[in-house]
Amino acid sequence: MATMAKRKKRRGGTATLAPPSEPQVRPGIVGLGRQVPPGITRPPYIPGGEPGPARSDMVRTADEIARMRKAGAAAAEVLLLAGEAVAPGVTTDKIDEVVHEAGLARNAYPSPLGYRGFPKSVCTSVNEVICHGIPDSRPLAEGDIVNIDVTLYLDGVHGDTNCTFFVGEVDAASAALVKETRVAMYAGIGSVRNGSTLNQIGKAIEQHANRHQLGVVREFIGHGIGTEFHGVIQVPHYYERRANLQLETGMSFTVEPMLTLGAPQMYIWDDDWTAVTVDGRRTAQFEHTLVVTEQGHELMTVTPGGECAADRHA
Ligand code: MF3
Ligand code: CO
Ligand code: CO
């Protein structure tokens, strides 16, 4: 997701809090970035890593939408495969391998690899990690929850989708968090149609979160997407009066709420990527890429059969 605003890094932000009741995720060893064969087309920010300011039109052409269906379907398929690989003892680096190879097999470039220096092909965010976790040597443990965020670049456009998976059996609070985060995402998406106001997405998400006493992370937001990984549209997952863009048929963006069991405040690890909750409690996320239509929306990140990880694992 796009970052809402640059904030000063918090260090030692947990010092005044009671110790979390469960062991916290610790950084593991990050292996080398994986190789991409020369035949696979790179996105424009490779090799430098800097995408530059977002500047593409908010509305996609019919041809771009047709290509986004394919990129989105590929991302949805790869996310389903990644979810099938989730099990106790499997490292997040193994998930990276699965996503990388499945992406290449579909002739796609894994968009995170080299994006602003991100070292791996997918984001894997475990338990209290909100987003942008870097796959590493840590094995998934029974009872963990893990968000896998897949973005693929295919035929000149990106498809971006994520799902939070259970590792074996999880406690009731974690199960409820994941379930309601998925419902919140679909509640936000449900407000989308030609002529609706963008801030109704965040309003619906925030209302659902409030009803279940869950926090809404504010620092990371949904984003325009298409030829650019992160386009100009900004989608807060809370009600923001000023986000009053009137949606038009053909606009494309992501909806990707991050909800928390405790307080939604975050800080970022020294790796400059991994965002975690300050209070160490768990957090979940779901994401789809969609396009605005006359009557509603079309989800780009579903398989040709209309399947997606969020619905299979619901
Ligand atoms: N896929 C994330 C999003 O939803 C962005 C990840 S950027 C990365 O926007 F560099 F961390 F991969
Ligand atoms: Co996104
Ligand atoms: Co994503």
Side-chain angles (χ1 to χ4, degrees), residues 14 17-25 126-130 145 171 173-174 177 213-215 217 259-267 275-284:
T14 57
L17 292 164
S21 56
E22 58 175 352
Q24 301 290 284
V25 175
V126 176
N127 297 346
E128 74 274 15
V129 180
I130 297 167
I145 58 173
D171 65 87
S174 298
L177 168 71
Q213 289 165 283
L214 300 170
V217 173
L259 268 47
T260 61
L261 279 179
Q265 275 70 35
M266 67 113 192
Y267 70 99
V276 298
T277 58
V278 169
D279 65 12
R281 298 192 65 195
R282 289 183 175 197
T283 167

PDB file of all heavy atoms in Angstrom, residues 14 17-25 126-130 145 171 173-174 177 213-215 217 259-267 275-284:
ATOM      1  N   THR A  14       7.572   0.583  22.724  1.00  0.00           N
ATOM      2  CA  THR A  14       6.809  -0.325  23.564  1.00  0.00           C
ATOM      3  C   THR A  14       7.185  -0.209  25.037  1.00  0.00           C
ATOM      4  O   THR A  14       6.597  -0.870  25.875  1.00  0.00           O
ATOM      5  CB  THR A  14       7.058  -1.789  23.126  1.00  0.00           C
ATOM      6  OG1 THR A  14       8.450  -2.032  23.192  1.00  0.00           O
ATOM      7  CG2 THR A  14       6.547  -2.042  21.728  1.00  0.00           C
ATOM      8  N   LEU A  17       4.556   0.068  27.732  1.00  0.00           N
ATOM      9  CA  LEU A  17       3.420  -0.856  27.688  1.00  0.00           C
ATOM     10  C   LEU A  17       3.714  -2.116  28.492  1.00  0.00           C
ATOM     11  O   LEU A  17       4.859  -2.504  28.672  1.00  0.00           O
ATOM     12  CB  LEU A  17       3.143  -1.260  26.243  1.00  0.00           C
ATOM     13  CG  LEU A  17       2.625  -0.151  25.342  1.00  0.00           C
ATOM     14  CD1 LEU A  17       2.761  -0.543  23.895  1.00  0.00           C
ATOM     15  CD2 LEU A  17       1.179   0.158  25.683  1.00  0.00           C
ATOM     16  N   ALA A  18       2.635  -2.746  28.938  1.00  0.00           N
ATOM     17  CA  ALA A  18       2.796  -4.071  29.542  1.00  0.00           C
ATOM     18  C   ALA A  18       3.354  -5.015  28.486  1.00  0.00           C
ATOM     19  O   ALA A  18       3.051  -4.862  27.307  1.00  0.00           O
ATOM     20  CB  ALA A  18       1.435  -4.561  30.021  1.00  0.00           C
ATOM     21  N   PRO A  19       4.144  -5.995  28.909  1.00  0.00           N
ATOM     22  CA  PRO A  19       4.708  -6.910  27.911  1.00  0.00           C
ATOM     23  C   PRO A  19       3.602  -7.678  27.198  1.00  0.00           C
ATOM     24  O   PRO A  19       2.626  -8.078  27.839  1.00  0.00           O
ATOM     25  CB  PRO A  19       5.596  -7.849  28.734  1.00  0.00           C
ATOM     26  CG  PRO A  19       5.247  -7.623  30.151  1.00  0.00           C
ATOM     27  CD  PRO A  19       4.572  -6.284  30.257  1.00  0.00           C
ATOM     28  N   PRO A  20       3.726  -7.867  25.880  1.00  0.00           N
ATOM     29  CA  PRO A  20       2.707  -8.621  25.145  1.00  0.00           C
ATOM     30  C   PRO A  20       2.606 -10.031  25.709  1.00  0.00           C
ATOM     31  O   PRO A  20       3.583 -10.579  26.210  1.00  0.00           O
ATOM     32  CB  PRO A  20       3.226  -8.640  23.714  1.00  0.00           C
ATOM     33  CG  PRO A  20       4.329  -7.647  23.648  1.00  0.00           C
ATOM     34  CD  PRO A  20       4.838  -7.456  25.041  1.00  0.00           C
ATOM     35  N   SER A  21       1.409 -10.607  25.619  1.00  0.00           N
ATOM     36  CA  SER A  21       1.183 -11.895  26.253  1.00  0.00           C
ATOM     37  C   SER A  21       1.686 -13.064  25.413  1.00  0.00           C
ATOM     38  O   SER A  21       1.601 -14.196  25.838  1.00  0.00           O
ATOM     39  CB  SER A  21      -0.306 -12.064  26.532  1.00  0.00           C
ATOM     40  OG  SER A  21      -1.015 -11.899  25.332  1.00  0.00           O
ATOM     41  N   GLU A  22       2.200 -12.796  24.234  1.00  0.00           N
ATOM     42  CA  GLU A  22       2.720 -13.893  23.416  1.00  0.00           C
ATOM     43  C   GLU A  22       4.065 -13.485  22.839  1.00  0.00           C
ATOM     44  O   GLU A  22       4.364 -12.297  22.744  1.00  0.00           O
ATOM     45  CB  GLU A  22       1.745 -14.233  22.298  1.00  0.00           C
ATOM     46  CG  GLU A  22       1.463 -13.040  21.406  1.00  0.00           C
ATOM     47  CD  GLU A  22       0.573 -13.395  20.216  1.00  0.00           C
ATOM     48  OE1 GLU A  22       0.308 -14.577  20.012  1.00  0.00           O
ATOM     49  OE2 GLU A  22       0.179 -12.486  19.500  1.00  0.00           O
ATOM     50  N   PRO A  23       4.888 -14.466  22.454  1.00  0.00           N
ATOM     51  CA  PRO A  23       6.207 -14.122  21.910  1.00  0.00           C
ATOM     52  C   PRO A  23       6.076 -13.267  20.655  1.00  0.00           C
ATOM     53  O   PRO A  23       5.190 -13.506  19.829  1.00  0.00           O
ATOM     54  CB  PRO A  23       6.836 -15.478  21.592  1.00  0.00           C
ATOM     55  CG  PRO A  23       5.781 -16.511  21.769  1.00  0.00           C
ATOM     56  CD  PRO A  23       4.655 -15.906  22.531  1.00  0.00           C
ATOM     57  N   GLN A  24       6.922 -12.270  20.532  1.00  0.00           N
ATOM     58  CA  GLN A  24       6.856 -11.366  19.387  1.00  0.00           C
ATOM     59  C   GLN A  24       7.696 -11.898  18.225  1.00  0.00           C
ATOM     60  O   GLN A  24       8.652 -12.653  18.427  1.00  0.00           O
ATOM     61  CB  GLN A  24       7.357  -9.983  19.812  1.00  0.00           C
ATOM     62  CG  GLN A  24       6.538  -9.385  20.955  1.00  0.00           C
ATOM     63  CD  GLN A  24       5.142  -8.990  20.507  1.00  0.00           C
ATOM     64  OE1 GLN A  24       4.937  -7.996  19.858  1.00  0.00           O
ATOM     65  NE2 GLN A  24       4.137  -9.810  20.873  1.00  0.00           N
ATOM     66  N   VAL A  25       7.310 -11.506  17.031  1.00  0.00           N
ATOM     67  CA  VAL A  25       8.064 -11.897  15.841  1.00  0.00           C
ATOM     68  C   VAL A  25       9.419 -11.192  15.861  1.00  0.00           C
ATOM     69  O   VAL A  25       9.491  -9.994  16.149  1.00  0.00           O
ATOM     70  CB  VAL A  25       7.287 -11.512  14.561  1.00  0.00           C
ATOM     71  CG1 VAL A  25       8.118 -11.800  13.314  1.00  0.00           C
ATOM     72  CG2 VAL A  25       5.960 -12.254  14.500  1.00  0.00           C
ATOM     73  N   VAL A 126       3.605 -11.518   9.620  1.00  0.00           N
ATOM     74  CA  VAL A 126       3.171 -12.504  10.610  1.00  0.00           C
ATOM     75  C   VAL A 126       2.686 -11.817  11.895  1.00  0.00           C
ATOM     76  O   VAL A 126       3.355 -10.911  12.416  1.00  0.00           O
ATOM     77  CB  VAL A 126       4.343 -13.459  10.947  1.00  0.00           C
ATOM     78  CG1 VAL A 126       3.944 -14.435  12.057  1.00  0.00           C
ATOM     79  CG2 VAL A 126       4.812 -14.203   9.711  1.00  0.00           C
ATOM     80  N   ASN A 127       1.521 -12.238  12.399  1.00  0.00           N
ATOM     81  CA  ASN A 127       1.009 -11.833  13.730  1.00  0.00           C
ATOM     82  C   ASN A 127       0.937 -10.317  13.889  1.00  0.00           C
ATOM     83  O   ASN A 127       0.091  -9.679  13.281  1.00  0.00           O
ATOM     84  CB  ASN A 127       1.826 -12.492  14.840  1.00  0.00           C
ATOM     85  CG  ASN A 127       1.714 -14.008  14.799  1.00  0.00           C
ATOM     86  OD1 ASN A 127       0.837 -14.540  14.113  1.00  0.00           O
ATOM     87  ND2 ASN A 127       2.576 -14.702  15.509  1.00  0.00           N
ATOM     88  N   GLU A 128       1.822  -9.713  14.706  1.00  0.00           N
ATOM     89  CA  GLU A 128       1.751  -8.270  14.955  1.00  0.00           C
ATOM     90  C   GLU A 128       2.377  -7.443  13.831  1.00  0.00           C
ATOM     91  O   GLU A 128       2.369  -6.211  13.907  1.00  0.00           O
ATOM     92  CB  GLU A 128       2.376  -7.915  16.301  1.00  0.00           C
ATOM     93  CG  GLU A 128       3.897  -7.973  16.348  1.00  0.00           C
ATOM     94  CD  GLU A 128       4.454  -9.354  16.659  1.00  0.00           C
ATOM     95  OE1 GLU A 128       3.696 -10.343  16.571  1.00  0.00           O
ATOM     96  OE2 GLU A 128       5.662  -9.431  16.979  1.00  0.00           O
ATOM     97  N   VAL A 129       2.917  -8.092  12.794  1.00  0.00           N
ATOM     98  CA  VAL A 129       3.428  -7.341  11.649  1.00  0.00           C
ATOM     99  C   VAL A 129       2.231  -6.886  10.803  1.00  0.00           C
ATOM    100  O   VAL A 129       1.427  -7.710  10.354  1.00  0.00           O
ATOM    101  CB  VAL A 129       4.419  -8.165  10.810  1.00  0.00           C
ATOM    102  CG1 VAL A 129       4.918  -7.340   9.626  1.00  0.00           C
ATOM    103  CG2 VAL A 129       5.596  -8.624  11.678  1.00  0.00           C
ATOM    104  N   ILE A 130       2.122  -5.571  10.633  1.00  0.00           N
ATOM    105  CA  ILE A 130       0.972  -4.983   9.944  1.00  0.00           C
ATOM    106  C   ILE A 130       1.070  -5.215   8.438  1.00  0.00           C
ATOM    107  O   ILE A 130       0.098  -5.592   7.784  1.00  0.00           O
ATOM    108  CB  ILE A 130       0.886  -3.466  10.246  1.00  0.00           C
ATOM    109  CG1 ILE A 130       0.643  -3.246  11.747  1.00  0.00           C
ATOM    110  CG2 ILE A 130      -0.180  -2.795   9.393  1.00  0.00           C
ATOM    111  CD1 ILE A 130       0.845  -1.792  12.198  1.00  0.00           C
ATOM    112  N   ILE A 145      -0.832 -16.216  12.423  1.00  0.00           N
ATOM    113  CA  ILE A 145      -1.542 -15.765  11.229  1.00  0.00           C
ATOM    114  C   ILE A 145      -0.511 -15.081  10.342  1.00  0.00           C
ATOM    115  O   ILE A 145       0.421 -14.441  10.844  1.00  0.00           O
ATOM    116  CB  ILE A 145      -2.723 -14.818  11.557  1.00  0.00           C
ATOM    117  CG1 ILE A 145      -2.278 -13.567  12.323  1.00  0.00           C
ATOM    118  CG2 ILE A 145      -3.800 -15.576  12.332  1.00  0.00           C
ATOM    119  CD1 ILE A 145      -3.404 -12.531  12.515  1.00  0.00           C
ATOM    120  N   ASP A 171      -6.120 -19.064  17.777  1.00  0.00           N
ATOM    121  CA  ASP A 171      -7.016 -18.731  18.896  1.00  0.00           C
ATOM    122  C   ASP A 171      -8.237 -17.961  18.371  1.00  0.00           C
ATOM    123  O   ASP A 171      -8.219 -17.398  17.269  1.00  0.00           O
ATOM    124  CB  ASP A 171      -6.249 -17.914  19.943  1.00  0.00           C
ATOM    125  CG  ASP A 171      -5.812 -16.574  19.399  1.00  0.00           C
ATOM    126  OD1 ASP A 171      -6.588 -15.610  19.476  1.00  0.00           O
ATOM    127  OD2 ASP A 171      -4.681 -16.502  18.844  1.00  0.00           O
ATOM    128  N   ALA A 173      -9.651 -15.111  19.172  1.00  0.00           N
ATOM    129  CA  ALA A 173      -9.522 -13.673  18.890  1.00  0.00           C
ATOM    130  C   ALA A 173      -8.870 -13.449  17.529  1.00  0.00           C
ATOM    131  O   ALA A 173      -9.301 -12.581  16.755  1.00  0.00           O
ATOM    132  CB  ALA A 173      -8.706 -12.990  19.996  1.00  0.00           C
ATOM    133  N   SER A 174      -7.849 -14.240  17.207  1.00  0.00           N
ATOM    134  CA  SER A 174      -7.190 -14.112  15.904  1.00  0.00           C
ATOM    135  C   SER A 174      -8.142 -14.484  14.776  1.00  0.00           C
ATOM    136  O   SER A 174      -8.187 -13.819  13.733  1.00  0.00           O
ATOM    137  CB  SER A 174      -5.951 -15.013  15.827  1.00  0.00           C
ATOM    138  OG  SER A 174      -4.999 -14.635  16.783  1.00  0.00           O
ATOM    139  N   LEU A 177     -10.542 -11.634  14.283  1.00  0.00           N
ATOM    140  CA  LEU A 177      -9.831 -10.516  13.638  1.00  0.00           C
ATOM    141  C   LEU A 177      -9.743 -10.732  12.127  1.00  0.00           C
ATOM    142  O   LEU A 177     -10.057  -9.833  11.329  1.00  0.00           O
ATOM    143  CB  LEU A 177      -8.419 -10.392  14.231  1.00  0.00           C
ATOM    144  CG  LEU A 177      -7.456  -9.467  13.477  1.00  0.00           C
ATOM    145  CD1 LEU A 177      -7.866  -7.998  13.649  1.00  0.00           C
ATOM    146  CD2 LEU A 177      -6.010  -9.675  13.960  1.00  0.00           C
ATOM    147  N   GLN A 213     -14.966  -3.650  17.658  1.00  0.00           N
ATOM    148  CA  GLN A 213     -13.895  -3.148  18.536  1.00  0.00           C
ATOM    149  C   GLN A 213     -12.504  -3.473  18.019  1.00  0.00           C
ATOM    150  O   GLN A 213     -11.625  -3.909  18.771  1.00  0.00           O
ATOM    151  CB  GLN A 213     -14.102  -3.669  19.958  1.00  0.00           C
ATOM    152  CG  GLN A 213     -15.299  -2.990  20.617  1.00  0.00           C
ATOM    153  CD  GLN A 213     -15.748  -3.724  21.854  1.00  0.00           C
ATOM    154  OE1 GLN A 213     -16.411  -4.765  21.748  1.00  0.00           O
ATOM    155  NE2 GLN A 213     -15.363  -3.210  22.999  1.00  0.00           N
ATOM    156  N   LEU A 214     -12.341  -3.260  16.715  1.00  0.00           N
ATOM    157  CA  LEU A 214     -11.027  -3.448  16.090  1.00  0.00           C
ATOM    158  C   LEU A 214     -10.481  -2.088  15.679  1.00  0.00           C
ATOM    159  O   LEU A 214     -11.253  -1.175  15.352  1.00  0.00           O
ATOM    160  CB  LEU A 214     -11.152  -4.361  14.864  1.00  0.00           C
ATOM    161  CG  LEU A 214     -11.700  -5.774  15.164  1.00  0.00           C
ATOM    162  CD1 LEU A 214     -12.017  -6.511  13.868  1.00  0.00           C
ATOM    163  CD2 LEU A 214     -10.691  -6.575  16.009  1.00  0.00           C
ATOM    164  N   GLY A 215      -9.151  -1.936  15.700  1.00  0.00           N
ATOM    165  CA  GLY A 215      -8.516  -0.689  15.278  1.00  0.00           C
ATOM    166  C   GLY A 215      -8.312  -0.661  13.774  1.00  0.00           C
ATOM    167  O   GLY A 215      -8.278  -1.714  13.123  1.00  0.00           O
ATOM    168  N   VAL A 217      -5.626   0.792  10.950  1.00  0.00           N
ATOM    169  CA  VAL A 217      -4.314   1.411  10.716  1.00  0.00           C
ATOM    170  C   VAL A 217      -4.481   2.568   9.729  1.00  0.00           C
ATOM    171  O   VAL A 217      -5.171   2.436   8.705  1.00  0.00           O
ATOM    172  CB  VAL A 217      -3.313   0.367  10.176  1.00  0.00           C
ATOM    173  CG1 VAL A 217      -1.999   1.029   9.767  1.00  0.00           C
ATOM    174  CG2 VAL A 217      -3.067  -0.713  11.225  1.00  0.00           C
ATOM    175  N   LEU A 259      -6.582  -4.137  10.011  1.00  0.00           N
ATOM    176  CA  LEU A 259      -7.294  -3.976  11.272  1.00  0.00           C
ATOM    177  C   LEU A 259      -6.479  -4.606  12.403  1.00  0.00           C
ATOM    178  O   LEU A 259      -5.706  -5.540  12.163  1.00  0.00           O
ATOM    179  CB  LEU A 259      -8.683  -4.613  11.171  1.00  0.00           C
ATOM    180  CG  LEU A 259      -9.830  -3.679  10.714  1.00  0.00           C
ATOM    181  CD1 LEU A 259      -9.480  -2.840   9.501  1.00  0.00           C
ATOM    182  CD2 LEU A 259     -11.100  -4.470  10.438  1.00  0.00           C
ATOM    183  N   THR A 260      -6.678  -4.077  13.617  1.00  0.00           N
ATOM    184  CA  THR A 260      -5.874  -4.521  14.763  1.00  0.00           C
ATOM    185  C   THR A 260      -6.757  -4.964  15.925  1.00  0.00           C
ATOM    186  O   THR A 260      -7.826  -4.399  16.143  1.00  0.00           O
ATOM    187  CB  THR A 260      -4.956  -3.384  15.253  1.00  0.00           C
ATOM    188  OG1 THR A 260      -5.762  -2.260  15.668  1.00  0.00           O
ATOM    189  CG2 THR A 260      -3.997  -2.927  14.160  1.00  0.00           C
ATOM    190  N   LEU A 261      -6.268  -5.945  16.690  1.00  0.00           N
ATOM    191  CA  LEU A 261      -6.967  -6.359  17.922  1.00  0.00           C
ATOM    192  C   LEU A 261      -6.825  -5.301  18.999  1.00  0.00           C
ATOM    193  O   LEU A 261      -7.722  -5.086  19.787  1.00  0.00           O
ATOM    194  CB  LEU A 261      -6.391  -7.684  18.437  1.00  0.00           C
ATOM    195  CG  LEU A 261      -6.885  -8.964  17.779  1.00  0.00           C
ATOM    196  CD1 LEU A 261      -6.197 -10.172  18.399  1.00  0.00           C
ATOM    197  CD2 LEU A 261      -8.401  -9.106  17.884  1.00  0.00           C
ATOM    198  N   GLY A 262      -5.684  -4.645  19.032  1.00  0.00           N
ATOM    199  CA  GLY A 262      -5.423  -3.599  20.019  1.00  0.00           C
ATOM    200  C   GLY A 262      -5.377  -2.237  19.344  1.00  0.00           C
ATOM    201  O   GLY A 262      -6.154  -1.944  18.435  1.00  0.00           O
ATOM    202  N   ALA A 263      -4.451  -1.408  19.805  1.00  0.00           N
ATOM    203  CA  ALA A 263      -4.327  -0.055  19.256  1.00  0.00           C
ATOM    204  C   ALA A 263      -3.699  -0.108  17.859  1.00  0.00           C
ATOM    205  O   ALA A 263      -2.821  -0.929  17.606  1.00  0.00           O
ATOM    206  CB  ALA A 263      -3.465   0.795  20.179  1.00  0.00           C
ATOM    207  N   PRO A 264      -4.137   0.760  16.940  1.00  0.00           N
ATOM    208  CA  PRO A 264      -3.628   0.700  15.568  1.00  0.00           C
ATOM    209  C   PRO A 264      -2.280   1.407  15.361  1.00  0.00           C
ATOM    210  O   PRO A 264      -1.800   1.467  14.241  1.00  0.00           O
ATOM    211  CB  PRO A 264      -4.732   1.394  14.766  1.00  0.00           C
ATOM    212  CG  PRO A 264      -5.354   2.343  15.727  1.00  0.00           C
ATOM    213  CD  PRO A 264      -5.247   1.715  17.090  1.00  0.00           C
ATOM    214  N   GLN A 265      -1.681   1.921  16.419  1.00  0.00           N
ATOM    215  CA  GLN A 265      -0.399   2.630  16.248  1.00  0.00           C
ATOM    216  C   GLN A 265       0.702   1.674  15.804  1.00  0.00           C
ATOM    217  O   GLN A 265       0.717   0.504  16.181  1.00  0.00           O
ATOM    218  CB  GLN A 265       0.017   3.330  17.547  1.00  0.00           C
ATOM    219  CG  GLN A 265      -0.610   4.701  17.716  1.00  0.00           C
ATOM    220  CD  GLN A 265      -2.103   4.640  17.979  1.00  0.00           C
ATOM    221  OE1 GLN A 265      -2.575   3.717  18.640  1.00  0.00           O
ATOM    222  NE2 GLN A 265      -2.837   5.602  17.457  1.00  0.00           N
ATOM    223  N   MET A 266       1.619   2.196  14.990  1.00  0.00           N
ATOM    224  CA  MET A 266       2.666   1.335  14.431  1.00  0.00           C
ATOM    225  C   MET A 266       4.049   1.965  14.555  1.00  0.00           C
ATOM    226  O   MET A 266       4.181   3.159  14.782  1.00  0.00           O
ATOM    227  CB  MET A 266       2.364   1.059  12.964  1.00  0.00           C
ATOM    228  CG  MET A 266       2.452   2.264  12.057  1.00  0.00           C
ATOM    229  SD  MET A 266       3.834   2.069  10.913  1.00  0.00           S
ATOM    230  CE  MET A 266       3.979   3.695  10.233  1.00  0.00           C
ATOM    231  N   TYR A 267       5.051   1.125  14.431  1.00  0.00           N
ATOM    232  CA  TYR A 267       6.407   1.624  14.187  1.00  0.00           C
ATOM    233  C   TYR A 267       7.083   0.693  13.195  1.00  0.00           C
ATOM    234  O   TYR A 267       6.541  -0.384  12.882  1.00  0.00           O
ATOM    235  CB  TYR A 267       7.220   1.795  15.480  1.00  0.00           C
ATOM    236  CG  TYR A 267       7.633   0.520  16.166  1.00  0.00           C
ATOM    237  CD1 TYR A 267       8.917  -0.007  16.003  1.00  0.00           C
ATOM    238  CD2 TYR A 267       6.750  -0.149  16.998  1.00  0.00           C
ATOM    239  CE1 TYR A 267       9.306  -1.170  16.656  1.00  0.00           C
ATOM    240  CE2 TYR A 267       7.125  -1.317  17.648  1.00  0.00           C
ATOM    241  CZ  TYR A 267       8.404  -1.818  17.474  1.00  0.00           C
ATOM    242  OH  TYR A 267       8.773  -2.970  18.113  1.00  0.00           O
ATOM    243  N   ALA A 275       6.454  -3.069   9.255  1.00  0.00           N
ATOM    244  CA  ALA A 275       5.594  -2.243  10.107  1.00  0.00           C
ATOM    245  C   ALA A 275       4.913  -3.146  11.127  1.00  0.00           C
ATOM    246  O   ALA A 275       4.288  -4.147  10.750  1.00  0.00           O
ATOM    247  CB  ALA A 275       4.560  -1.509   9.263  1.00  0.00           C
ATOM    248  N   VAL A 276       5.034  -2.818  12.413  1.00  0.00           N
ATOM    249  CA  VAL A 276       4.461  -3.639  13.484  1.00  0.00           C
ATOM    250  C   VAL A 276       3.619  -2.781  14.409  1.00  0.00           C
ATOM    251  O   VAL A 276       3.818  -1.564  14.501  1.00  0.00           O
ATOM    252  CB  VAL A 276       5.561  -4.358  14.313  1.00  0.00           C
ATOM    253  CG1 VAL A 276       6.358  -5.310  13.445  1.00  0.00           C
ATOM    254  CG2 VAL A 276       6.483  -3.361  14.984  1.00  0.00           C
ATOM    255  N   THR A 277       2.690  -3.424  15.122  1.00  0.00           N
ATOM    256  CA  THR A 277       1.891  -2.666  16.096  1.00  0.00           C
ATOM    257  C   THR A 277       2.766  -2.318  17.302  1.00  0.00           C
ATOM    258  O   THR A 277       3.602  -3.116  17.734  1.00  0.00           O
ATOM    259  CB  THR A 277       0.670  -3.481  16.574  1.00  0.00           C
ATOM    260  OG1 THR A 277       1.117  -4.716  17.149  1.00  0.00           O
ATOM    261  CG2 THR A 277      -0.281  -3.766  15.417  1.00  0.00           C
ATOM    262  N   VAL A 278       2.552  -1.123  17.836  1.00  0.00           N
ATOM    263  CA  VAL A 278       3.309  -0.676  19.017  1.00  0.00           C
ATOM    264  C   VAL A 278       3.009  -1.572  20.206  1.00  0.00           C
ATOM    265  O   VAL A 278       3.905  -1.927  20.982  1.00  0.00           O
ATOM    266  CB  VAL A 278       2.979   0.804  19.336  1.00  0.00           C
ATOM    267  CG1 VAL A 278       3.534   1.202  20.698  1.00  0.00           C
ATOM    268  CG2 VAL A 278       3.543   1.723  18.252  1.00  0.00           C
ATOM    269  N   ASP A 279       1.742  -1.985  20.351  1.00  0.00           N
ATOM    270  CA  ASP A 279       1.387  -2.784  21.531  1.00  0.00           C
ATOM    271  C   ASP A 279       1.663  -4.274  21.341  1.00  0.00           C
ATOM    272  O   ASP A 279       1.453  -5.064  22.267  1.00  0.00           O
ATOM    273  CB  ASP A 279      -0.063  -2.525  21.962  1.00  0.00           C
ATOM    274  CG  ASP A 279      -1.099  -2.967  20.932  1.00  0.00           C
ATOM    275  OD1 ASP A 279      -0.745  -3.683  19.977  1.00  0.00           O
ATOM    276  OD2 ASP A 279      -2.282  -2.577  21.088  1.00  0.00           O
ATOM    277  N   GLY A 280       2.130  -4.659  20.170  1.00  0.00           N
ATOM    278  CA  GLY A 280       2.509  -6.057  19.946  1.00  0.00           C
ATOM    279  C   GLY A 280       1.339  -6.997  19.720  1.00  0.00           C
ATOM    280  O   GLY A 280       1.531  -8.205  19.581  1.00  0.00           O
ATOM    281  N   ARG A 281       0.120  -6.435  19.662  1.00  0.00           N
ATOM    282  CA  ARG A 281      -1.032  -7.316  19.420  1.00  0.00           C
ATOM    283  C   ARG A 281      -1.212  -7.561  17.923  1.00  0.00           C
ATOM    284  O   ARG A 281      -0.651  -6.856  17.082  1.00  0.00           O
ATOM    285  CB  ARG A 281      -2.285  -6.720  20.069  1.00  0.00           C
ATOM    286  CG  ARG A 281      -2.112  -6.620  21.600  1.00  0.00           C
ATOM    287  CD  ARG A 281      -3.408  -6.324  22.291  1.00  0.00           C
ATOM    288  NE  ARG A 281      -4.363  -7.425  22.122  1.00  0.00           N
ATOM    289  CZ  ARG A 281      -5.663  -7.325  22.369  1.00  0.00           C
ATOM    290  NH1 ARG A 281      -6.171  -6.171  22.758  1.00  0.00           N
ATOM    291  NH2 ARG A 281      -6.455  -8.361  22.205  1.00  0.00           N
ATOM    292  N   ARG A 282      -2.035  -8.564  17.594  1.00  0.00           N
ATOM    293  CA  ARG A 282      -2.104  -9.026  16.203  1.00  0.00           C
ATOM    294  C   ARG A 282      -2.904  -8.100  15.290  1.00  0.00           C
ATOM    295  O   ARG A 282      -3.751  -7.323  15.741  1.00  0.00           O
ATOM    296  CB  ARG A 282      -2.680 -10.442  16.160  1.00  0.00           C
ATOM    297  CG  ARG A 282      -1.695 -11.455  16.714  1.00  0.00           C
ATOM    298  CD  ARG A 282      -2.234 -12.865  16.617  1.00  0.00           C
ATOM    299  NE  ARG A 282      -1.192 -13.816  17.053  1.00  0.00           N
ATOM    300  CZ  ARG A 282      -1.211 -15.110  16.784  1.00  0.00           C
ATOM    301  NH1 ARG A 282      -2.228 -15.636  16.092  1.00  0.00           N
ATOM    302  NH2 ARG A 282      -0.229 -15.886  17.198  1.00  0.00           N
ATOM    303  N   THR A 283      -2.671  -8.242  14.012  1.00  0.00           N
ATOM    304  CA  THR A 283      -3.267  -7.412  12.975  1.00  0.00           C
ATOM    305  C   THR A 283      -3.472  -8.259  11.714  1.00  0.00           C
ATOM    306  O   THR A 283      -2.730  -9.217  11.492  1.00  0.00           O
ATOM    307  CB  THR A 283      -2.357  -6.189  12.715  1.00  0.00           C
ATOM    308  OG1 THR A 283      -2.760  -5.530  11.516  1.00  0.00           O
ATOM    309  CG2 THR A 283      -0.902  -6.602  12.559  1.00  0.00           C
ATOM    310  N   ALA A 284      -4.504  -7.928  10.952  1.00  0.00           N
ATOM    311  CA  ALA A 284      -4.779  -8.686   9.725  1.00  0.00           C
ATOM    312  C   ALA A 284      -5.079  -7.727   8.579  1.00  0.00           C
ATOM    313  O   ALA A 284      -5.422  -6.559   8.804  1.00  0.00           O
ATOM    314  CB  ALA A 284      -5.962  -9.631   9.935  1.00  0.00           C
TER     315      ALA A 284
END
